[in-house]
mmCIF file of all heavy atoms in Angstrom:
data_model
loop_
_atom_site.group_PDB
_atom_site.id
_atom_site.type_symbol
_atom_site.label_atom_id
_atom_site.label_comp_id
_atom_site.label_asym_id
_atom_site.label_seq_id
_atom_site.Cartn_x
_atom_site.Cartn_y
_atom_site.Cartn_z
ATOM 1 N N SER A 961 38.150 -26.060 2.077
ATOM 2 C CA SER A 961 38.683 -26.194 3.438
ATOM 3 C C SER A 961 38.238 -25.038 4.326
ATOM 4 O O SER A 961 38.507 -23.871 4.035
ATOM 5 C CB SER A 961 40.210 -26.258 3.406
ATOM 6 O OG SER A 961 40.743 -26.151 4.708
ATOM 7 N N LEU A 962 37.576 -25.391 5.410
ATOM 8 C CA LEU A 962 37.158 -24.421 6.416
ATOM 9 C C LEU A 962 38.377 -23.740 7.042
ATOM 10 O O LEU A 962 38.388 -22.528 7.271
ATOM 11 C CB LEU A 962 36.346 -25.139 7.489
ATOM 12 C CG LEU A 962 35.572 -24.301 8.499
ATOM 13 C CD1 LEU A 962 34.428 -23.585 7.820
ATOM 14 C CD2 LEU A 962 35.043 -25.190 9.624
ATOM 15 N N LEU A 963 39.432 -24.516 7.274
ATOM 16 C CA LEU A 963 40.641 -23.986 7.902
ATOM 17 C C LEU A 963 41.355 -23.007 6.977
ATOM 18 O O LEU A 963 41.856 -21.966 7.426
ATOM 19 C CB LEU A 963 41.578 -25.135 8.285
ATOM 20 C CG LEU A 963 42.821 -24.778 9.099
ATOM 21 C CD1 LEU A 963 42.448 -24.025 10.367
ATOM 22 C CD2 LEU A 963 43.616 -26.030 9.446
ATOM 23 N N MET A 964 41.407 -23.302 5.676
ATOM 24 C CA MET A 964 42.073 -22.405 4.742
ATOM 25 C C MET A 964 41.407 -21.029 4.736
ATOM 26 O O MET A 964 42.079 -19.993 4.795
ATOM 27 C CB MET A 964 42.056 -22.993 3.327
ATOM 28 C CG MET A 964 42.708 -22.083 2.287
ATOM 29 S SD MET A 964 42.726 -22.741 0.596
ATOM 30 C CE MET A 964 40.983 -22.560 0.150
ATOM 31 N N MET A 965 40.096 -21.007 4.671
ATOM 32 C CA MET A 965 39.388 -19.734 4.635
ATOM 33 C C MET A 965 39.433 -19.021 5.984
ATOM 34 O O MET A 965 39.454 -17.794 6.044
ATOM 35 C CB MET A 965 37.942 -19.959 4.180
ATOM 36 C CG MET A 965 37.843 -20.321 2.712
ATOM 37 S SD MET A 965 38.641 -19.063 1.658
ATOM 38 C CE MET A 965 38.767 -19.950 0.104
ATOM 39 N N SER A 966 39.456 -19.793 7.074
ATOM 40 C CA SER A 966 39.600 -19.188 8.404
ATOM 41 C C SER A 966 40.956 -18.505 8.526
ATOM 42 O O SER A 966 41.079 -17.414 9.087
ATOM 43 C CB SER A 966 39.434 -20.241 9.495
ATOM 44 O OG SER A 966 38.144 -20.803 9.473
ATOM 45 N N PHE A 967 41.992 -19.162 8.006
ATOM 46 C CA PHE A 967 43.321 -18.549 7.969
ATOM 47 C C PHE A 967 43.291 -17.263 7.143
ATOM 48 O O PHE A 967 43.963 -16.273 7.475
ATOM 49 C CB PHE A 967 44.334 -19.518 7.360
ATOM 50 C CG PHE A 967 44.916 -20.505 8.340
ATOM 51 C CD1 PHE A 967 44.459 -20.583 9.636
ATOM 52 C CD2 PHE A 967 45.936 -21.365 7.964
ATOM 53 C CE1 PHE A 967 44.985 -21.494 10.551
ATOM 54 C CE2 PHE A 967 46.483 -22.274 8.857
ATOM 55 C CZ PHE A 967 46.003 -22.341 10.151
ATOM 56 N N GLY A 968 42.514 -17.282 6.039
ATOM 57 C CA GLY A 968 42.416 -16.098 5.195
ATOM 58 C C GLY A 968 41.826 -14.918 5.947
ATOM 59 O O GLY A 968 42.316 -13.788 5.835
ATOM 60 N N VAL A 969 40.770 -15.159 6.719
ATOM 61 C CA VAL A 969 40.156 -14.102 7.520
ATOM 62 C C VAL A 969 41.126 -13.614 8.599
ATOM 63 O O VAL A 969 41.296 -12.412 8.805
ATOM 64 C CB VAL A 969 38.851 -14.598 8.169
ATOM 65 C CG1 VAL A 969 38.303 -13.563 9.154
ATOM 66 C CG2 VAL A 969 37.812 -14.900 7.090
ATOM 67 N N ALA A 970 41.774 -14.564 9.287
ATOM 68 C CA ALA A 970 42.679 -14.209 10.381
ATOM 69 C C ALA A 970 43.876 -13.408 9.892
ATOM 70 O O ALA A 970 44.213 -12.363 10.453
ATOM 71 C CB ALA A 970 43.146 -15.478 11.098
ATOM 72 N N GLN A 971 44.542 -13.875 8.821
ATOM 73 C CA GLN A 971 45.732 -13.175 8.351
ATOM 74 C C GLN A 971 45.378 -11.779 7.848
ATOM 75 O O GLN A 971 46.131 -10.818 8.068
ATOM 76 C CB GLN A 971 46.424 -13.965 7.240
ATOM 77 C CG GLN A 971 45.700 -13.937 5.900
ATOM 78 C CD GLN A 971 46.350 -14.810 4.854
ATOM 79 O OE1 GLN A 971 46.771 -15.931 5.135
ATOM 80 N NE2 GLN A 971 46.417 -14.311 3.639
ATOM 81 N N SER A 972 44.230 -11.636 7.192
ATOM 82 C CA SER A 972 43.805 -10.314 6.730
ATOM 83 C C SER A 972 43.577 -9.384 7.919
ATOM 84 O O SER A 972 43.954 -8.200 7.875
ATOM 85 C CB SER A 972 42.518 -10.428 5.899
ATOM 86 O OG SER A 972 42.746 -11.150 4.704
ATOM 87 N N THR A 973 42.977 -9.910 8.980
ATOM 88 C CA THR A 973 42.737 -9.111 10.183
ATOM 89 C C THR A 973 44.050 -8.638 10.796
ATOM 90 O O THR A 973 44.187 -7.468 11.192
ATOM 91 C CB THR A 973 41.947 -9.926 11.212
ATOM 92 O OG1 THR A 973 40.716 -10.378 10.627
ATOM 93 C CG2 THR A 973 41.630 -9.099 12.448
ATOM 94 N N SER A 998 37.016 -13.913 1.884
ATOM 95 C CA SER A 998 37.196 -15.179 2.610
ATOM 96 C C SER A 998 36.030 -15.413 3.565
ATOM 97 O O SER A 998 35.516 -16.532 3.685
ATOM 98 C CB SER A 998 38.515 -15.161 3.397
ATOM 99 O OG SER A 998 39.624 -15.094 2.545
ATOM 100 N N LEU A 1002 33.095 -18.440 3.807
ATOM 101 C CA LEU A 1002 32.707 -19.110 5.054
ATOM 102 C C LEU A 1002 31.199 -19.009 5.275
ATOM 103 O O LEU A 1002 30.559 -19.954 5.758
ATOM 104 C CB LEU A 1002 33.457 -18.493 6.237
ATOM 105 C CG LEU A 1002 34.957 -18.786 6.315
ATOM 106 C CD1 LEU A 1002 35.579 -18.024 7.480
ATOM 107 C CD2 LEU A 1002 35.215 -20.278 6.469
ATOM 108 N N GLN A 1017 33.147 -25.674 15.145
ATOM 109 C CA GLN A 1017 34.566 -25.623 14.793
ATOM 110 C C GLN A 1017 34.945 -24.261 14.243
ATOM 111 O O GLN A 1017 36.001 -23.712 14.574
ATOM 112 C CB GLN A 1017 34.893 -26.712 13.760
ATOM 113 C CG GLN A 1017 34.899 -28.118 14.327
ATOM 114 C CD GLN A 1017 35.113 -29.165 13.247
ATOM 115 O OE1 GLN A 1017 34.879 -28.931 12.058
ATOM 116 N NE2 GLN A 1017 35.547 -30.356 13.658
ATOM 117 N N LEU A 1018 34.080 -23.699 13.388
ATOM 118 C CA LEU A 1018 34.346 -22.382 12.810
ATOM 119 C C LEU A 1018 34.383 -21.310 13.890
ATOM 120 O O LEU A 1018 35.275 -20.453 13.893
ATOM 121 C CB LEU A 1018 33.281 -22.047 11.768
ATOM 122 C CG LEU A 1018 33.399 -20.661 11.117
ATOM 123 C CD1 LEU A 1018 34.747 -20.490 10.438
ATOM 124 C CD2 LEU A 1018 32.261 -20.440 10.131
ATOM 125 N N ALA A 1019 33.415 -21.357 14.812
ATOM 126 C CA ALA A 1019 33.390 -20.387 15.909
ATOM 127 C C ALA A 1019 34.661 -20.493 16.754
ATOM 128 O O ALA A 1019 35.240 -19.470 17.169
ATOM 129 C CB ALA A 1019 32.156 -20.614 16.778
ATOM 130 N N LEU A 1021 37.644 -21.649 15.705
ATOM 131 C CA LEU A 1021 38.775 -21.174 14.905
ATOM 132 C C LEU A 1021 38.847 -19.646 14.893
ATOM 133 O O LEU A 1021 39.919 -19.056 15.094
ATOM 134 C CB LEU A 1021 38.659 -21.694 13.470
ATOM 135 C CG LEU A 1021 38.988 -23.164 13.232
ATOM 136 C CD1 LEU A 1021 38.593 -23.570 11.819
ATOM 137 C CD2 LEU A 1021 40.470 -23.417 13.458
ATOM 138 N N LEU A 1022 37.706 -19.007 14.658
ATOM 139 C CA LEU A 1022 37.690 -17.547 14.601
ATOM 140 C C LEU A 1022 37.942 -16.942 15.977
ATOM 141 O O LEU A 1022 38.602 -15.904 16.093
ATOM 142 C CB LEU A 1022 36.353 -17.062 14.033
ATOM 143 C CG LEU A 1022 36.076 -17.464 12.570
ATOM 144 C CD1 LEU A 1022 34.719 -16.939 12.122
ATOM 145 C CD2 LEU A 1022 37.178 -16.948 11.650
ATOM 146 N N SER A 1025 41.641 -17.139 16.633
ATOM 147 C CA SER A 1025 42.407 -16.159 15.852
ATOM 148 C C SER A 1025 42.367 -14.776 16.484
ATOM 149 O O SER A 1025 43.242 -13.938 16.222
ATOM 150 C CB SER A 1025 41.870 -16.092 14.422
ATOM 151 O OG SER A 1025 40.567 -15.530 14.392
ATOM 152 N N MET A 1053 50.652 -17.799 8.387
ATOM 153 C CA MET A 1053 49.363 -18.266 7.895
ATOM 154 C C MET A 1053 49.274 -18.185 6.379
ATOM 155 O O MET A 1053 48.722 -19.071 5.717
ATOM 156 C CB MET A 1053 48.232 -17.448 8.531
ATOM 157 C CG MET A 1053 47.977 -17.783 9.977
ATOM 158 S SD MET A 1053 46.551 -16.878 10.618
ATOM 159 C CE MET A 1053 46.229 -17.806 12.131
ATOM 160 N N ARG A 1057 48.435 -21.603 4.405
ATOM 161 C CA ARG A 1057 46.962 -21.632 4.365
ATOM 162 C C ARG A 1057 46.399 -22.617 3.342
ATOM 163 O O ARG A 1057 45.291 -23.134 3.525
ATOM 164 C CB ARG A 1057 46.396 -20.226 4.109
ATOM 165 C CG ARG A 1057 46.671 -19.657 2.743
ATOM 166 C CD ARG A 1057 46.131 -18.230 2.653
ATOM 167 N NE ARG A 1057 44.690 -18.198 2.710
ATOM 168 C CZ ARG A 1057 43.902 -18.238 1.633
ATOM 169 N NH1 ARG A 1057 44.441 -18.337 0.424
ATOM 170 N NH2 ARG A 1057 42.594 -18.179 1.756
#
Side-chain angles (χ1 to χ4, degrees):
S961 170
L962 192 69
L963 187 55
M964 178 180 73
M965 289 304 165
S966 297
F967 276 6
V969 172
Q971 73 184 42
S972 295
T973 303
S998 295
L1002 289 176
Q1017 287 175 339
L1018 178 58
L1021 285 170
L1022 295 179
S1025 68
M1053 286 185 165
R1057 68 183 293 268

